[in-house]
Amino acid sequence: MKTDTPGKGKPPRLLILDDEAMTGETIARIAHFAGFEARHLTSSATFFDEVTLWQPDILAIDLIMPEMDGVEVMAELARRGSQARLIITSGVGSRILDAAGRSAREHGLDIVGVIAKPFSAVGLRELLYKAVEMEGGPVAALPGERTPTRQASVEDLEQALTLGQIRLAYQPKVRCRTGTLVGFEALARWQHPQLGAIPPDVFIPLAEAHGLIDRLTLQVAEQALDWLVEISSEDTAKRVGQHVLQDILLSMNVSARSLGNSDLFDAILRLCRERGIAPQRIVLELTETSAMQDATTSLDTLTRLRLQGFQLSIDDFGTGYSSMVQLVRLPFSEIKVDKRFVMTATDSEESRAVIRSVVELGRSLGLNTTAEGVEDSETLDYLDELKCGLAQGYLISRPLPPEDVLDWFISREAQREERRLAAIMSLNLLDTPAEPRFDRLTRLACRLFGVSTALISLLDRDRQWFKSRQGLDVAETPRDIAFCHKTLERDELMVVPDARTHPLFKYNPLVRKSPFIRFYAGSPLYLRGGEKVGTLCLIDPEPRAFGEGDAELLDDLARMVENELALSSTDGHDECTGLLNRTSFREQAEAACQLCRRLNLPMAVVSVRLEELPAVNKLFGREIGDRQLRDLAILMMESTEDADLIGRYRATEITALLLGVGLETAREIGGRLHRAIERSNDGQAPDQARLSPSIRVAALPPGEGPFEQRMEAAWQLLG
Ligand code: C2E
Ligand code: CA
Ligand code: CA
């Protein structure tokens, strides 16, 4: 790593090469304000001399200039062995900028970044700061602060290991979807008393080259595991008021060179055992390059580690080795997208393409995917869209010294809770009356699982409040005793087969007294922005088992509740009838289809169509047409009591979906509806417009394919 900064106290120097004087001047001015000394040239003729004489720390080069293009300039710089860091500027497309950046790197130039014109002052300033930042510490060293007088030597490193100078910083890993903390990566730090902070990019290779890496890894493991014990302790949980930290994972970096040394891994396993830490909580990260050198040894060692329960991660994935093969051949459990792609995702379509395919690859192999180097929220949103599992990067937090971790966690949780509460408030659902659209789903849950109680619980600041409840008389309970509170804390399905024996719940008043909860299963509910607002949960007064199939089923139902939550009571609904509108009906029907597929249940549809609605509108006026639709909606709801979904499927059609129902029942319901319509017509004054809709039904056996297509193919008209 180079940072040959100018003498102590001197501002870093920026030399700009741009054929447009205006642009050069603007850059210079921005740089000047940012504390840099800047000069700009409009022609490459004098540029190289200036580089030699003035010794700039950073060069900003325009890619396209009249006499010589930027790529040639870079080639020449490389030939001259330039040590300055590069910023490439240009008005060309991002692909060209990417390619130029790559070519500079291939030339061995130290490139900080590319910035497209027209650029923002902020973007440029950030690049400039980045250019003078020394990587490797929570606090970046600015140039002029302390300049190493010499490089660290093996002897220095050996001494550091003996004196215990290698410390750790911990960088959090969170879920992309929800921001929930899942673990930390331990990163080695070396602060040499004379030489200052030495970045791991320097001392790790040094350790590897001189046979010190295993010693270092063991020291790292020991410190990190001690730290993990402390942060997962009951004491810490009490301090922060929740239990999330008790299950967090710890990632450690392992050099591939260590793969041949089984003593090292035995020692790590022993360290875990001594501390009562399950190897399942430890993720060993290996870089792609290295995992492959000695194929057979790696396979043996890695397989053994997996069998012992350790998780294995392939680090820096995508950096260009024969990664695919390795990934399939070796027993990895996680894939980490290299930060090079992630950091450039907002600017580079190519980077996005790489991320996309790595995430897909991970998914198809059933691996967790983590993106590291997430620096902005656009990138995080993009990752979430791709369904990338975990994120790590400066946006979430820089690597933290151990003494700062808890404070970071506590303040972040407080912020997240405020955002969560704001999201709940914006739903406008708290303390509103029951709504059929939610009650339908809890009824369905009771029916499918055969439990006494199903609830949609929203977690407010101090209470949980039930938007829908079957089999429970109270409308809310205090938050501190709510099972749902714990489910949300864990951020995943929580199953309690028998609460009387569960450490978290055996003393809970809801277990010891009425309603005497025994069985509980709760699935968290998220809003589109990832905020967790509550749970869909099942409760029963008898203990019971809950299998994987049940879990998937509850999950499907929870997604349906989320779809409903995403619609406020008005949008997603048809204004005239108050039923689901076409879009939301289709969305929910698709989810219901998936549910039936899982359960191997049939489905049926009953639909009523007012073909003459346009004519009624014209002859009698829009108001009468609307009233007919509303009447029909009511008749439909009455005749299909148990329908799981009802929507205004088309302008002239109202459709009800029934799960677990075959053709026979659908026809019966259709008949009932027909009679109800006739009765309603009989009650009308003779001069009123009469309802004369057609009724059709469709039966869908469990199967594949989009709902709508299958329904359209199965219609039968009722007489
Ligand atoms: P790595 O394993 O890929 O670790 C991630 C690196 O990315 C860390 O650099 C981290 O500080 C940095 N990083 C994380 N998020 C961001 C971000 O948003 N933006 C940017 N620009 N950087 C980010 P660090 O700590 O300098 O470590 C560098 C490398 O040194 C590590 O890369 C790892 O390969 C190696 N290393 C560190 N500690 C150890 C260790 O204990 N053992 C071994 N074998 N290698 C280690
Ligand atoms: Ca790593
Ligand atoms: Ca990495």
Side-chain angles (χ1 to χ4, degrees):
M1 158 128 229
K2 84 122 250 165
T3 318
D4 240 0
T5 46
K8 201 175 167 78
K10 279 198 196 143
R13 291 172 173 175
L14 167 71
L15 181 63
I16 304 148
L17 177 59
D18 198 309
D19 62 305
E20 290 168 55
M22 272 280 285
T23 313
E25 209 169 294
T26 312
I27 299 180
R29 200 166 323 122
I30 295 171
H32 191 76
F33 275 120
F36 290 72
E37 203 179 319
R39 293 185 185 173
H40 64 102
L41 301 173
T42 48
S43 136
S44 55
T46 51
F47 177 73
F48 295 106
D49 290 342
E50 191 75 14
V51 171
T52 317
L53 294 173
W54 192 48
Q55 296 240 314
D57 304 290
I58 314 165
L59 305 171
I61 299 175
D62 184 8
L63 262 194
I64 301 176
M65 288 168 300
E67 331 105 85
M68 196 182 202
D69 69 38
V71 178
E72 283 174 77
V73 172
M74 290 190 298
E76 181 59 23
L77 282 171
R79 215 182 51 73
R80 292 170 179 240
S82 165
Q83 291 289 297
R85 310 193 77 182
L86 274 190
I87 294 177
I88 302 174
T89 64
S90 219
V92 296
S94 64
R95 286 179 68 91
I96 298 179
L97 278 179
D98 281 351
R102 258 201 320 275
S103 116
R105 276 190 201 99
E106 273 157 24
H107 276 109
L109 295 174
D110 188 1
I111 160 149
V112 192
V114 291
I115 184 160
K117 292 181 196 169
F119 46 75
S120 70
V122 180
L124 178 64
R125 213 164 36 232
E126 272 172 12
L127 269 189
L128 288 172
Y129 285 143
K130 194 166 141 198
V132 293
E133 223 181 42
M134 295 236 314
E135 256 191 83
V139 188
L142 278 172
E145 273 182 359
R146 188 186 347 232
T147 317
T149 41
R150 61 176 176 88
Q151 297 260 304
S153 65
V154 205
E155 291 74 34
D156 293 324
L157 182 59
E158 228 168 345
Q159 198 184 22
L161 287 170
T162 310
L163 297 175
Q165 278 174 355
I166 306 292
R167 289 276 115 112
L168 297 180
Y170 298 92
Q171 190 177 35
K173 261 169 95 168
V174 303
R175 289 206 179 122
C176 291
R177 186 84 261 270
T178 58
T180 304
L181 179 74
V182 290
F184 290 89
E185 175 175 1
L187 293 158
R189 295 289 175 261
W190 180 14
Q191 181 74 35
H192 188 279
Q194 279 83 46
L195 303 176
I198 299 160
D201 294 334
V202 170
F203 69 81
I204 298 292
L206 193 64
E208 287 180 336
H210 294 89
L212 293 173
I213 190 66
D214 291 353
R215 241 179 105 191
L216 188 145
T217 307
L218 200 59
Q219 287 198 3
V220 168
E222 206 163 350
Q223 279 184 51
L225 290 170
D226 281 343
W227 172 83
L228 186 65
V229 168
E230 196 187 310
I231 197 132
S232 319
S233 69
E234 192 59 46
D235 267 3
T236 309
K238 282 211 188 88
R239 253 184 79 189
V240 300
Q242 55 162 295
H243 289 87
V244 175
L245 294 171
Q246 293 194 316
D247 302 316
I248 53 165
L249 306 178
L250 171 73
S251 300
M252 291 191 297
N253 294 284
V254 172
S255 164
R257 282 175 201 252
S258 303
L259 285 181
N261 180 3
S262 56
D263 289 350
L264 173 68
F265 297 105
D266 290 343
I268 295 180
L269 185 63
R270 204 165 45 243
L271 291 175
C272 289
R273 289 216 175 110
E274 284 164 6
R275 287 162 183 74
I277 294 172
Q280 282 75 9
R281 291 179 61 198
I282 308 300
V283 186
L284 302 175
E285 297 192 359
L286 285 133
T287 2
E288 231 192 315
T289 24
S290 35
M292 17 204 97
Q293 279 159 4
D294 180 350
T296 338
T297 325
S298 329
L299 182 60
D300 288 357
T301 313
L302 295 177
T303 308
R304 259 190 66 217
L305 288 169
R306 280 296 276 156
L307 290 173
Q308 286 161 344
F310 290 103
Q311 301 198 43
L312 296 178
S313 170
I314 188 160
D315 206 348
D316 303 341
F317 192 82
T319 43
Y321 300 85
S322 56
S323 18
M324 273 282 280
V325 184
Q326 296 308 319
L327 200 54
V328 179
R329 197 174 64 86
L330 299 173
F332 286 105
S333 48
E334 179 193 53
I335 179 172
K336 273 187 115 168
V337 192
D338 190 62
K339 61 172 180 291
R340 225 167 75 186
F341 306 107
V342 181
M343 282 164 57
T344 51
T346 34
D347 302 322
S348 157
E349 171 50 37
E350 273 177 32
S351 295
R352 284 196 296 276
V354 172
I355 300 172
R356 206 157 47 231
S357 51
V358 177
V359 171
E360 261 160 37
L361 179 66
R363 187 168 27 248
S364 66
L365 294 173
L367 305 177
N368 300 321
T369 30
T370 299
E372 66 178 9
V374 180
E375 294 189 343
D376 54 68
S377 49
E378 288 89 350
T379 304
L380 188 62
D381 291 345
Y382 180 66
L383 292 165
D384 178 35
E385 212 176 284
L386 293 179
K387 301 213 163 61
C388 173
L390 305 177
Q392 182 181 343
Y394 292 174
L395 175 70
I396 297 129
S397 167
R398 297 209 163 219
L400 298 162
E403 60 274 16
D404 290 353
V405 170
L406 271 194
D407 285 345
W408 170 84
F409 178 74
I410 292 169
S411 80
R412 181 166 185 272
E413 286 303 293
Q415 279 169 20
R416 268 162 39 93
E417 177 63 5
E418 286 313 315
R419 267 206 305 276
R420 200 186 70 74
L421 289 169
I424 290 208
M425 292 312 284
S426 71
L427 280 176
N428 283 322
L429 281 180
L430 286 176
D431 301 304
T432 54
E435 287 176 60
R437 60 190 185 120
F438 292 112
D439 292 345
R440 241 178 245 131
L441 293 169
T442 43
R443 260 202 323 267
L444 182 62
C446 280
R447 215 165 73 210
L448 292 176
F449 290 97
V451 289
S452 65
T453 304
L455 307 166
I456 294 173
S457 155
L458 300 178
L459 199 65
D460 198 359
R461 198 180 286 275
D462 304 308
R463 58 170 181 164
Q464 65 171 335
W465 179 83
F466 306 118
K467 176 61 201 174
S468 172
R469 55 194 155 94
Q470 307 294 333
L472 190 72
D473 293 332
V474 294
E476 61 181 64
T477 67
R479 174 163 171 165
D480 54 352
I481 58 168
F483 281 55
C484 294
H485 175 37
K486 291 286 164 221
T487 306
L488 284 202
E489 236 179 62
R490 294 176 169 225
D491 205 10
E492 61 190 14
L493 172 76
M494 182 171 77
V495 179
V496 180
D498 187 348
R500 283 172 306 185
T501 58
H502 195 287
L504 277 181
F505 300 109
K506 57 183 171 193
Y507 302 117
N508 190 302
L510 302 172
V511 177
R512 308 202 104 187
K513 297 192 208 124
S514 168
F516 299 103
I517 297 179
R518 294 293 172 264
F519 166 77
Y520 169 93
S523 179
L525 298 170
Y526 303 98
L527 299 185
R528 298 286 192 248
E531 304 89 351
K532 40 190 176 180
V533 289
T535 62
L536 168 66
C537 66
L538 312 170
I539 291 175
D540 205 70
E542 296 297 325
R544 58 153 78 200
F546 202 71
E548 199 151 298
D550 294 322
E552 284 174 356
L553 190 58
L554 186 60
D555 216 49
D556 285 348
L557 276 172
R559 300 295 81 78
M560 292 175 76
V561 177
E562 283 171 1
N563 287 344
E564 281 298 347
L565 287 173
L567 314 163
S568 76
S569 33
T570 46
D571 51 67
H573 287 76
D574 169 48
E575 243 172 66
C576 170
T577 59
L579 300 176
L580 292 178
N581 65 19
R582 175 174 166 81
T583 316
S584 41
F585 178 79
R586 276 163 55 190
E587 206 172 308
Q588 288 289 58
E590 212 55 73
C593 257
Q594 195 182 335
L595 193 77
C596 284
R597 204 151 42 228
R598 260 201 224 298
L599 288 170
N600 204 25
L601 276 183
M603 284 190 314
V605 191
V606 177
S607 202
V608 52
R609 208 163 161 187
L610 259 185
E611 263 135 321
E612 69 283 12
L613 184 69
V616 172
N617 281 339
K618 218 184 240 156
L619 285 173
F620 297 88
R622 179 80 196 233
E623 243 162 69
I624 302 293
D626 279 358
R627 212 187 60 216
Q628 286 208 340
L629 266 174
R630 271 196 295 273
D631 288 347
L632 210 54
I634 292 168
L635 293 172
M636 183 68 137
M637 286 199 272
E638 286 170 358
S639 319
T640 56
E641 289 157 0
D642 256 352
D644 297 293
L645 281 183
I646 302 184
R648 185 165 172 194
Y649 177 60
R650 290 205 170 90
T652 57
E653 184 162 13
I654 291 170
T655 303
L657 182 76
L658 302 107
L659 308 192
V661 160
L663 189 61
E664 266 321 288
T665 319
R667 284 174 160 275
E668 262 167 47
I669 293 172
R672 206 169 347 153
L673 178 62
H674 180 73
R675 289 189 295 279
I677 291 170
E678 295 212 308
R679 269 199 307 281
S680 152
N681 279 335
D682 291 346
Q684 294 278 16
D687 60 333
Q688 290 281 333
R690 293 173 62 82
L691 287 170
S692 49
S694 60
I695 297 174
R696 48 185 193 162
V697 297
L700 309 182
E704 300 288 328
F707 162 75
E708 210 168 0
Q709 227 168 17
R710 294 171 56 211
M711 177 175 74
E712 292 301 340
W715 284 129
Q716 296 186 9
L717 203 60
L718 279 194

